[in-house]
Amino acid sequence: MRTAFRYSCPVCQTESRRYATEVGARGHADGHRDEFHGGDEPYGEAIVPVAGTRLERGDLRVLALVALLLAAGLISKLL
C-alpha cells in the first residue's frame, strides 16, 4: 500500500488532508504557519505518514495530468 502524508499542528489541534507526497504536506504546513501563526513554527508540529490510505481526488487529477503529459511527450518524439 502507498503511504500518504498529513500535516499535524498540536497548537490548533488540527490535521491536514492527505497528500500523496511529503512535499505536498510540507506546502500545507507552510501555508498554515503563515495564516495562523505569523510564520512561526508551532512546537511539536509534524508531517505524519499515514499508511494504507487512498489518494485524494486532487492528487489523482495531478497524477492523471502528469501521465497525459508524459504520453504526449512520448508520442511527439515518435512522430
Side-chain angles (χ1 to χ4, degrees), residues 9-58:
C9 178
V11 173
C12 296
Q13 303 250 323
T14 188
E15 217 173 54
S16 73
R17 69 176 185 87
R18 295 176 184 132
Y19 287 90
T21 64
E22 189 173 348
V23 172
R26 290 195 184 283
H28 184 99
D30 291 342
H32 176 83
R33 282 193 301 270
D34 288 345
E35 185 174 350
F36 296 104
H37 304 292
D40 295 334
E41 295 182 20
Y43 181 76
E45 72 174 358
I47 302 299
V48 181
V50 183
T53 58
R54 64 172 206 241
L55 295 177
E56 297 288 331
R57 182 173 293 196

Side-chain angles (χ1 to χ4, degrees), residues 58-76:
D59 295 328
L60 292 174
R61 287 181 186 157
V62 170
L63 290 174
L65 178 61
V66 168
L68 180 65
L69 291 172
L70 286 172
L74 288 172
I75 290 171
S76 70

